[in-house]
Amino acid sequence: MTFNKTLLAGMIGAVMTGTALLPAVANAENTLRMAYDADPVSLDIHEQLSGGILQLSHMTFDPLVRWTQDLDFEPRLATEWEQVDDTTMRMTLREGVTFHSGNDFTAEDVVWTVERLKRSPDFKAIFDPIASVTAVDDYTVEFKTEEPYPLLLNLATYIFPMDSQFYSGTDSDGDPKDEIVKNGNSYASSHLSGTGPFTVVEHRKGTRMEFERFADYWDEESPGNVDSIVLTPISENATRVAALLSGDVDFIAPVPPNDLERVRESDNAELVTMSGTRIIFLHMNQERVEAFQDERVRQAFAYAINQDAIAERLMKGFATPAAQFSPEGYAGHIESLERRHDLERAQQLMEEAGYADGFQITMMAPNNRYVNDARIAQAVATMLARINVEVDLKTLPKAQYWGEYDDRAADVMMIGWHADTEDSANFHEYLTACPDAETGAGQYNAGNYCNPELDRLVAEANLEVDLEKRAEMLQQVEQTLYDEAAFVPLHWQDLAWAAAPNVDIEPILNVMNFPYLGDLVIQAE
C-alpha cells in the first residue's frame, strides 16, 4: 500500500472550496485511495437528500448527534440534551469547535442551518414538525415543535451545522451564497466549510475528489489516522473490484454480488457485509399514464415482476425480496405481507382493466447508483413484456439521472431509499405522500400516487408517543400501500465494502452506509 502522494500543480481552481482556506496536501503519511461507484453530485449538503450527499456530510461536517452501529445516539456537536416539556428540547453544544474557514462554531450556526433545511426542497418535509429553534446562548439551542414529536433526536442526525458566516452575503455574480439550486450551480455547490474531519481540496466532478485532514479538528479522541483521501469514482463494477485487488486503491464500495466470493477469497482484501434496509422499487406515474390510475393495472405490474428471481439470479442472494417499504425491525413492518408474483393473475388483471393487449411505456433507471440497477431494470422490462407491456428503457449515470427523476421524465422510474431516521414514516413522507412543493411532502413521489387519508394517518403517527399505537398506525399505512399497489417493491439491498487488509474499515461502517472515515485507522504494514 502506498502512503505518500504528490498533488498535481495548480489543482486548486474554481471548483475548489475556499481556495485561500484549503491548503494543498503535501507529504501526507497516510493516504486513503478509495473508489465509490460515483462521487457526490454537489458540495451543497442541502441540495439533495441522498446517500452520496450524506456520506460527504459525515466526511466534511459533523451532525449534532449520529447513529452508532447499534442504532443508539452518539453525541457529536451536541454533547447533552434535555426534554424540557412535551414540545421543547434543549441541547448543549460542544465548545471549542472551529469551521474549516477558521470561524467559531456557535448556536447561531445551528439556528441558521435548521432554517436553511426548512427551505430545502429535499429536506423541508421532515423538518416541518420543528416550529422554531432558538439560540439561548452561544452554546445552547432550544427546539420547539408544534405538537409532541417522538423523533426529534432522529432529526438531529440530519443537522450538520454549516458555517453561517462563510455562506452569508453574495458571490462574485451577486447571487446569495446560501441559495439552494437543485442540479445547478451555486456558491454552496462548489464551496464548503464544515467542522468535519476532512476539508475538500479538489472536486473534479465525475473524475476525482481530494480531501485532507482538518488540522484543527475538534475530536482529539478519534482513533482516525488518515491524513488525506483520494476518491476516484469507478462506475464499472469489475473495474472497481480489480482496482482493489491489484492494489491501485485501498477501499471500495459497493462490492457487487458477482464478486463477493472473489473478494472474500483474496489475500489482498478484507470483505465486510451487512443486511441492508434500503428498499429498491419502481414508481408508476399516474399523471403520465392513464392506465396507472387503475388500481388493477398497478396490481398487475406487481404480480408480473418476480422479485425472488431478481434477488436470486441478479443479486446472487445478496438482497432480501420485498413486499413493502419497511424492513423487519421497523415499526411499520407487517410480517404477513407476501410477495405476489403470479403471471396468470397479472394477465387476468390486465384483461379486467381493459388492457389485455397491453400498452407502451417509457422507463428510466440509473446505471451506477444501486447494485446491478441497469440489469434489474432490463429484467423488469422483460417481465412486463409477458403482460404485453412494451418498455422503452433508458439507463443513465447517477449524475444525469437525478435531474431526469426530478423532472419525472419517464412513466416508470427506479429509486432506492433508506429511511435515515430509521423510521417507517419517512418512506411515506418522501415517496408516496401526496406531492406538495410548498411543504416538500412527496418530494420523491415519481408515481404521483395520492391518498390524503394516509397522509393524515402518518401525520397523526408522528405525534403519537405511545409506540405500540404508533406502530399500528404505520402498519395500516403499509397495508394500504400494498393493497392499492402504490409502487412495485423489488428488494432490500444488502451492503458490502472491501478494503486492503491493513485498512480497518469494520469499526467505521454502519447499516446507513455512512462510513465514518474520520475514525478510520490504517495499520502500519
Side-chain angles (χ1 to χ4, degrees), residues 138-388:
D138 282 351
Y139 296 103
T140 308
V141 290
E142 197 166 82
F143 292 87
K144 285 190 175 292
T145 57
E146 297 287 356
E147 302 285 345
Y149 183 64
L151 300 177
L152 197 52
L153 277 179
N154 301 55
L155 280 191
T157 66
Y158 281 106
I159 301 174
F160 296 82
M162 298 178 72
D163 186 343
S164 59
Q165 294 182 57
F166 181 84
Y167 293 103
S168 293
T170 57
D171 62 15
S172 58
D173 294 326
D175 297 320
K177 290 183 177 180
D178 66 345
E179 72 173 338
I180 302 170
V181 180
K182 288 277 288 181
N183 306 307
N185 295 318
S186 68
Y187 182 84
S189 70
S190 57
H191 296 75
L192 186 151
S193 176
T195 62
F198 297 102
T199 62
V200 178
V201 176
E202 180 187 34
H203 186 198
R204 283 183 272 165
K205 193 174 294 186
T207 304
R208 181 183 178 94
M209 197 166 185
E210 297 205 19
F211 304 82
E212 78 163 355
R213 190 98 183 171
F214 179 37
D216 293 326
Y217 186 48
W218 62 268
D219 191 358
E220 297 179 352
E221 296 182 4
S222 170
N225 67 351
V226 175
D227 298 300
S228 60
I229 296 175
V230 177
L231 167 61
T232 304
I234 303 178
S235 60
E236 173 58 41
N237 287 335
T239 306
R240 190 168 60 254
V241 172
L244 175 67
L245 299 185
S246 66
D248 289 336
V249 300
D250 312 308
F251 172 43
I252 65 169
V255 179
N258 289 345
D259 289 303
L260 290 172
E261 286 307 312
R262 179 185 172 203
V263 173
R264 186 178 283 115
E265 293 173 2
S266 173
D267 294 333
N268 297 326
E270 296 290 338
L271 179 71
V272 179
T273 63
M274 290 184 188
S275 296
T277 57
R278 180 182 300 279
I279 183 74
I280 309 296
F281 69 98
L282 302 171
H283 271 310
M284 300 166 284
N285 194 319
Q286 297 183 36
E287 289 190 0
R288 289 177 58 100
V289 179
E290 183 178 358
F292 287 154
Q293 297 173 18
D294 191 320
E295 184 178 298
R296 294 168 297 182
V297 172
R298 301 196 304 272
Q299 290 173 341
F301 273 51
Y303 277 108
I305 295 173
N306 188 341
Q307 295 100 328
D308 290 71
I310 291 173
E312 180 179 346
R313 298 169 194 169
L314 293 182
M315 300 297 291
K316 303 297 182 183
F318 199 62
T320 304
Q324 58 193 304
F325 278 141
S326 299
E328 187 175 357
Y330 275 44
H333 181 77
I334 303 175
E335 189 67 33
S336 61
L337 286 187
E338 297 182 350
R339 298 178 298 282
R340 45 188 169 188
H341 173 58
D342 184 334
L343 183 56
E344 184 176 342
R345 178 60 178 149
Q347 293 168 336
Q348 179 183 350
L349 284 165
M350 290 290 281
E351 184 174 355
E352 290 177 5
Y355 294 100
D357 294 331
F359 49 85
Q360 295 180 330
I361 60 169
T362 58
M363 179 178 175
M364 281 188 182
N367 57 26
N368 66 344
R369 175 60 188 93
Y370 313 113
V371 177
N372 287 337
D373 40 17
R375 294 181 63 199
I376 291 168
Q378 291 162 2
V380 166
T382 299
M383 293 171 184
L384 291 176
R386 295 169 186 157
I387 56 171
N388 297 321

Side-chain angles (χ1 to χ4, degrees), residues 35-50:
Y36 282 168
D37 53 357
D39 57 332
V41 298
S42 172
L43 298 187
D44 186 349
I45 62 170
H46 295 166
E47 181 179 328
Q48 184 185 82
L49 177 52
S50 68

